[in-house]
Amino acid sequence: MSLDGLSLDALLVPEKSRLKVLLDHLSVIEDPREAWRVAHPLPEVLLLVVCGTLADCDDYEGIAEWGETHLSFLRRFLPYHHGVPGARWLTLLMNRIDPDLFAAAFTAWVRESWPDRPDLVAIDGKTSRRSHDRGAGKAPLHLVSAFATTRRLVLGQEAVADKSSETTAIPLLIERLAAAGGLDGTLISIDAIATNPTIATAIRGAKADYLLAVKANQPTLRAEIESFFAETPAAETESVTDLDKGHGRIESRTVTVAREVDWLKGDRRFPGELRLPDVATIVRVASRAELADRCRFETRYYVSSAALSATAAAEAVRSHWAIENSLHWVLDVTFGDDQSRLRKGHGARNMAVVRHFAFNLLRAVTDKKSLRLRRKRAGWDPEYCAQVLGHRTR
């Protein structure tokens, strides 16, 4: 039964708010404590740390104090019969939560709250520099994140021992995001560390396309692509140039693509040579930056399984930088990620996911305030915090 193309169910069943979706997913995370000893149920703890992080608190002391001050606000959503835990209990509990379950709950929440498939996804790693524990020989947390660049949305994350381990984490992250067709038709951009057959095959297996940088770690492939562009007439390629002005410099970027790449397919010339599946486009980006006292030139190369136009390639390359400027920089400057001293148990990893929860909720707000001001106002004004939490799904 329908009315003007809308199903009766759609008319009768209201959409769930992102808060309701959030509470649903937090409720399924396994609590490591014995049930009879639980005074503060895990969903209450997790909602507290998400709200406290929204409200401009960057450590457990601040979160606990904010929760105690705004207990009546928190009781709008969950009972909090025993109030909120103090900073010491928050530390213990967040250290013990299974980080894989927490990360999976985050990904499921994002998928339900923002169901449209992303068109461009950048994957890159970030180190929380002060999360190391030298006494225990523990390296700082390094997290590989997937970021929907045009929507400014974190999709998921995977923790690794260090940057060199990113190649093992990226296929796992792609597999989780690809469940139920979550990456169908998406273009995934990754830096040169991922330019290998394993990751390219994982992306293609997820029914997505790759855009991979080609740098010094693949010297033969880079030399071949460089020679191709140097020797191929301009009439056989496609180019577009854009100009950026700001921050005391003028930068022009010329993006050139070639789609006649059969020489990269089929039988290669020697055993062990790099073979990437389904190569369809190679890309050259030549940039010239005019600074106050000098000019700087740089040429970068990429390979893609998508048949990209020069305009589409320029947009994808430019979008990849958003994971640095719109996510990593924001986490450091607005959320104090690099200053976090969480070093025991799973605390650093779990709180990194909490910051991603908060980042996505704050980004969903449609006012013209900066993220920093949105955090501060969420701390000052419970009604504004409720608005951030309860933003409707679409």
Side-chain angles (χ1 to χ4, degrees), residues 194-378:
T195 307
N196 65 62
T198 300
I199 292 177
T201 300
I203 293 171
R204 296 298 291 141
K207 298 182 180 179
D209 283 302
Y210 58 77
L211 176 68
L212 304 176
V214 180
K215 295 183 179 178
N217 63 329
Q218 298 291 354
T220 302
L221 178 61
R222 180 184 171 92
E224 288 181 326
I225 294 175
E226 190 172 4
S227 296
F228 176 88
F229 279 114
E231 297 168 4
T232 301
E236 297 180 18
T237 62
E238 179 188 348
S239 295
V240 65
T241 299
D242 60 34
L243 190 68
D244 279 344
K245 296 181 180 180
H247 304 290
R249 70 177 185 179
I250 302 174
E251 183 172 5
S252 64
R253 285 184 296 271
T254 299
V255 178
T256 305
V257 302
R259 292 182 291 274
E260 296 297 327
V261 292
D262 288 344
W263 51 276
L264 278 173
K265 302 177 183 178
D267 294 332
R268 299 302 299 273
R269 295 179 297 279
F270 55 84
E273 190 170 4
L274 179 68
R275 293 173 172 85
L276 298 175
D278 306 325
V279 177
T281 308
I282 55 175
V283 182
R284 179 181 66 189
V285 180
S287 62
R288 179 179 186 271
E290 296 182 18
L291 307 177
D293 56 347
R294 67 191 186 280
C295 287
R296 185 177 63 207
F297 300 88
E298 184 181 15
T299 303
R300 300 184 300 279
Y301 298 95
Y302 300 84
V303 61
S304 178
S305 61
L308 299 173
S309 66
T311 300
E315 179 185 1
V317 169
R318 187 167 54 249
S319 290
H320 183 80
W321 301 335
I323 196 169
E324 285 291 342
N325 300 329
S326 298
L327 177 61
H328 294 167
W329 186 86
V330 170
L331 289 174
D332 283 340
V333 174
T334 304
F335 288 86
D337 182 78
D338 260 355
Q339 301 304 312
S340 175
R341 291 175 173 269
L342 298 175
R343 297 170 179 177
K344 305 294 183 182
H346 301 305
R349 186 171 169 186
N350 285 329
M351 283 304 296
V353 178
V354 168
R355 285 189 281 273
H356 285 172
F357 273 112
F359 177 93
N360 283 355
L361 285 165
L362 289 163
R363 277 289 187 197
V365 179
T366 56
D367 61 33
K368 296 184 178 180
K369 298 176 178 63
S370 67
L371 287 190
R372 182 187 294 277
L373 280 179
R374 288 175 191 171
R375 288 191 81 198
K376 289 187 178 299
R377 183 167 175 183

Side-chain angles (χ1 to χ4, degrees), residues 32-324:
R33 298 168 291 172
E34 297 178 38
W36 65 273
R37 302 181 63 182
V38 173
H40 304 287
L42 194 55
E44 293 183 359
V45 173
L46 295 176
L47 180 62
L48 168 63
V49 294
V50 170
C51 287
T53 302
L54 283 176
D56 205 27
C57 302
D58 293 329
D59 55 44
Y60 293 135
E61 288 81 5
I63 291 171
E65 188 69 22
W66 183 90
E68 185 175 340
T69 304
H70 294 86
L71 185 56
S72 60
F73 169 78
L74 293 169
R75 283 176 171 161
R76 294 188 198 178
F77 315 115
L78 292 174
Y80 289 91
H81 292 307
H82 299 280
V84 298
R88 178 175 174 273
W89 277 108
L90 279 179
T91 303
L92 293 172
L93 291 171
M94 294 303 293
N95 283 351
R96 295 178 64 186
I97 295 170
D98 185 324
D100 292 325
L101 291 178
F102 197 29
F106 172 84
T107 300
W109 169 71
V110 172
R111 179 166 295 168
E112 187 172 351
S113 297
W114 292 271
D116 295 338
R117 293 189 185 95
D119 50 357
L120 295 171
V121 171
I123 294 179
D124 198 14
K126 180 187 183 303
T127 300
S128 298
R129 301 193 181 280
R130 303 189 75 174
S131 60
H132 59 81
D133 187 349
R134 291 195 179 96
K138 182 180 177 181
L141 172 71
H142 190 80
L143 208 65
V144 177
S145 300
F147 188 61
T149 56
T150 54
R151 298 162 69 187
R152 299 296 193 266
L153 185 70
V154 183
L155 303 179
Q157 58 289 117
E158 190 77 26
V160 294
D162 51 42
K163 186 173 180 63
S164 64
S165 303
E166 287 185 12
T167 53
T168 60
I170 290 172
L172 298 174
L173 180 57
I174 290 169
E175 181 181 5
R176 189 164 75 243
L177 297 178
L183 292 177
D184 287 9
T186 297
L187 181 63
I188 299 175
S189 61
I190 318 179
D191 203 8
I193 195 169
T195 307
N196 65 62
T198 300
I199 292 177
T201 300
I203 293 171
R204 296 298 291 141
K207 298 182 180 179
D209 283 302
Y210 58 77
L211 176 68
L212 304 176
V214 180
K215 295 183 179 178
N217 63 329
Q218 298 291 354
T220 302
L221 178 61
R222 180 184 171 92
E224 288 181 326
I225 294 175
E226 190 172 4
S227 296
F228 176 88
F229 279 114
E231 297 168 4
T232 301
E236 297 180 18
T237 62
E238 179 188 348
S239 295
V240 65
T241 299
D242 60 34
L243 190 68
D244 279 344
K245 296 181 180 180
H247 304 290
R249 70 177 185 179
I250 302 174
E251 183 172 5
S252 64
R253 285 184 296 271
T254 299
V255 178
T256 305
V257 302
R259 292 182 291 274
E260 296 297 327
V261 292
D262 288 344
W263 51 276
L264 278 173
K265 302 177 183 178
D267 294 332
R268 299 302 299 273
R269 295 179 297 279
F270 55 84
E273 190 170 4
L274 179 68
R275 293 173 172 85
L276 298 175
D278 306 325
V279 177
T281 308
I282 55 175
V283 182
R284 179 181 66 189
V285 180
S287 62
R288 179 179 186 271
E290 296 182 18
L291 307 177
D293 56 347
R294 67 191 186 280
C295 287
R296 185 177 63 207
F297 300 88
E298 184 181 15
T299 303
R300 300 184 300 279
Y301 298 95
Y302 300 84
V303 61
S304 178
S305 61
L308 299 173
S309 66
T311 300
E315 179 185 1
V317 169
R318 187 167 54 249
S319 290
H320 183 80
W321 301 335
I323 196 169
E324 285 291 342

